[in-house]
Amino acid sequence: MKPFAHLEKEIQEWKAAGTFRPLTEIESEQGARVVIRGKEVVQLSSNNYLGLTNHPRLKKAALEAVEQYGAGTGSVRTIAGTFSMHEQFEKRLAQFKHTEAALVFQSGFTSNVGVVASILTDEDVVISDELNHASIIDGIRLTKAKRRIYRHNDMDDLEKALKETQDSRVRLVVTDGVFSMDGDIAPLPQIVELCEKYDALVMVDDAHASGVLGKNGRGTVDHYGLHGRVHIQVGTLSKAIGVLGGYVAGAQVLRDYLIHRARPFLFSTSHPPAVTAACNAALDVLLEEPELIDRLWENTRFFKEGLNKLGFDTAGSETPITPVIVGDDALAMKLSDELFERGVYAQGIVYPTVPKGKARIRTIVTASHTKEDLQFCLDAFEQAAKKLGIL
Ligand SMILES: *Cc1c(COP(=O)(O)O)cnc(C)c1O
């Protein structure tokens, strides 16, 4: 038998379709400009919204933590891997989010899986937006609760789901705060009102909203003024915060429960000191350098307007995530290649990350880009798209 013949067959199909991609190596720090294949290009594909991946305060905090506490923690949180800095950071994070408590997981992905898979039983129902992140979907795959998917941001369909499930013990409604592939914001006020009417729990995944929306980047709950009305806020420390990790912010009883039952928390080692210290420094930056968030939004407006003026379809995005819809998978990859030739790194996103026929270049501007960087990108988009007959 030839091992992996079944995988090779599929890979050949991807190659024929033009969607097989080696991983792109970054040969420099992550920043507004990066070095790829020996060439300096403008980075338009990172989640480094505020430029914190290489902020001096984060680097310094990480280095000092290594000096004082070492490179690793040597255990899971529940056995011997909880350091004082973990607990202190979580207390600060809870204060920042205006919640009773917060708990950090290894990543945003494991936060979602940990929560959704652990807090429900077969007497319950999870009700989820169809465009929610893969980690929410995987959490749902692991729960014993019944599932109900509602059409994207469709409040009538959500209400229908809430009406149909009134016999169950607990209903958990889950939504992304900002949808990661389209950049639209969930109608959280309406979701909260419906959940209050039908007595359901609300969970929002603010991976792309933490550090981006709300005062000092507190997220969608703050953005909409809904403090105290959203039961579970998940966030990531890997995107705007610039480091690595995820967290769950909410009631103390939720934190107590997750510590005992969330499997990624129980069975995977805690964050190294450098990670926690850098995240803590990032919170200082959010509180003390709010001009970074202002600059992010200024750049967002400039770039989005530029793309729309050129005639690109940006799918109604309302946030720094700005998709440029191309449609065909192979064409999106070609556009990405043409952009690279012109000094811009903007990765094509194709099926299965987005639906078939909705292939796109997903751009994310950051606070670190200059107006010149962004105008350079707009010019590259115009030339490349004209060459390929997209414009
Ligand atoms: C990126 C993302 C995650 C995962 O966060 P990581 O910290 O990178 O694991 C979860 N949810 C959404 C909506 C995301 O965009």
Side-chain angles (χ1 to χ4, degrees):
M1 190 190 93
K2 195 173 167 216
F4 304 124
H6 63 301
L7 305 185
E8 255 171 54
K9 184 166 162 280
E10 250 187 281
I11 287 173
Q12 285 313 326
E13 286 165 16
W14 302 338
K15 284 184 173 163
T19 57
F20 180 85
R21 288 254 135 173
L23 298 173
T24 303
E25 292 177 35
I26 310 273
E27 297 152 11
S28 61
E29 280 190 332
Q30 184 68 275
R33 286 167 178 273
V34 291
V35 177
I36 294 172
R37 299 194 278 285
K39 176 172 165 173
E40 191 183 271
V41 291
V42 180
Q43 170 67 285
L44 274 189
S45 284
S46 82
N47 299 312
N48 186 22
Y49 289 100
L50 302 175
L52 297 195
T53 53
N54 56 6
H55 192 292
R57 291 171 79 171
L58 274 74
K59 292 211 270 194
K60 182 162 177 281
L63 286 167
E64 286 173 3
V66 170
E67 288 292 348
Q68 194 174 352
Y69 295 103
T73 64
S75 171
V76 298
R77 287 282 299 270
T78 47
I79 297 178
T82 294
F83 286 22
S84 297
M85 65 161 73
H86 293 132
E87 295 276 321
Q88 282 160 8
F89 176 61
E90 286 165 342
K91 286 207 176 79
R92 260 196 102 195
L93 198 53
Q95 251 172 18
F96 177 73
K97 297 287 285 183
H98 301 313
T99 56
E100 268 180 25
L103 186 68
V104 171
F105 284 70
Q106 291 81 5
S107 68
F109 196 107
T110 58
S111 305
N112 276 328
V113 170
V115 174
V116 177
S118 70
I119 67 169
L120 303 172
T121 72
D122 57 7
E123 297 172 85
D124 308 322
V125 183
V126 54
I127 303 174
S128 175
D129 187 290
E130 65 180 341
L131 291 190
N132 277 344
H133 191 259
S135 53
I136 294 174
I137 296 171
D138 282 12
I140 292 174
R141 285 179 178 156
L142 289 170
T143 172
K144 293 195 175 70
K146 292 174 210 63
R147 306 106 209 252
R148 180 73 161 69
I149 310 299
Y150 65 94
R151 282 194 297 278
H152 178 52
N153 283 349
D154 184 333
M155 294 300 102
D156 293 335
D157 202 27
L158 172 58
E159 181 156 25
K160 197 162 155 253
L162 285 163
K163 272 188 186 148
E164 285 169 8
T165 54
Q166 302 208 57
D167 295 341
S168 41
R169 188 186 65 159
V170 172
R171 272 92 53 79
L172 176 69
V173 173
V174 190
T175 183
D176 279 14
V178 170
F179 287 86
S180 51
M181 289 301 144
D182 293 288
D184 53 334
I185 308 174
L188 205 53
Q190 289 95 305
I191 293 174
V192 164
E193 264 172 42
L194 282 174
C195 288
E196 287 173 351
K197 182 172 168 192
Y198 292 96
D199 206 19
L201 296 178
V202 189
M203 166 169 161
V204 63
D205 173 3
D206 261 349
H208 283 284
S210 356
V212 174
L213 283 173
K215 188 165 189 290
N216 300 94
R218 283 179 170 81
T220 49
V221 170
D222 189 84
H223 171 75
Y224 283 122
L226 294 170
H227 289 293
R229 297 172 71 189
V230 170
H231 306 91
I232 305 174
Q233 296 181 59
V234 168
T236 180
L237 304 167
S238 328
K239 289 175 174 147
I241 305 305
V243 194
L244 172 71
Y247 60 85
V248 180
Q252 182 65 42
V253 58
L254 177 67
R255 183 179 190 271
D256 290 342
Y257 192 89
L258 293 173
I259 286 175
H260 290 85
R261 286 292 179 273
R263 294 169 68 85
F265 185 86
L266 285 162
F267 295 105
S268 189
T269 297
S270 57
H271 275 168
V275 168
T276 304
C279 290
N280 193 47
L283 258 191
D284 292 334
V285 173
L286 287 184
L287 292 167
E288 292 164 24
E289 300 178 36
E291 61 274 14
L292 287 175
I293 300 179
D294 296 340
R295 211 174 310 144
L296 168 67
W297 281 95
E298 237 173 76
N299 282 345
T300 298
R301 277 186 286 275
F302 176 81
F303 192 61
K304 216 185 281 289
E305 274 171 28
L307 285 171
N308 288 331
K309 257 187 236 153
L310 287 171
F312 286 107
D313 172 8
T314 55
S317 154
E318 306 163 88
T319 64
I321 300 175
T322 305
V324 174
I325 306 293
V326 174
D328 178 67
D329 284 359
L331 191 59
M333 291 309 192
K334 261 193 216 145
L335 178 56
S336 176
D337 291 341
E338 289 289 338
L339 288 167
F340 187 79
E341 287 302 306
R342 290 167 176 77
V344 176
Y345 181 69
Q347 183 65 279
I349 310 260
V350 301
Y351 180 82
T353 308
V354 294
K356 286 214 164 99
K358 293 270 186 183
R360 65 198 61 193
I361 305 284
R362 186 187 61 160
T363 66
I364 298 183
V365 301
T366 71
S368 318
H369 288 103
T370 62
K371 283 273 145 56
E372 291 72 40
D373 288 334
L374 297 177
Q375 188 57 53
F376 177 80
C377 294
L378 289 170
D379 294 343
F381 259 99
E382 183 178 17
Q383 290 165 15
K386 280 187 173 152
K387 179 174 172 193
L388 295 176
I390 297 168
L391 271 186

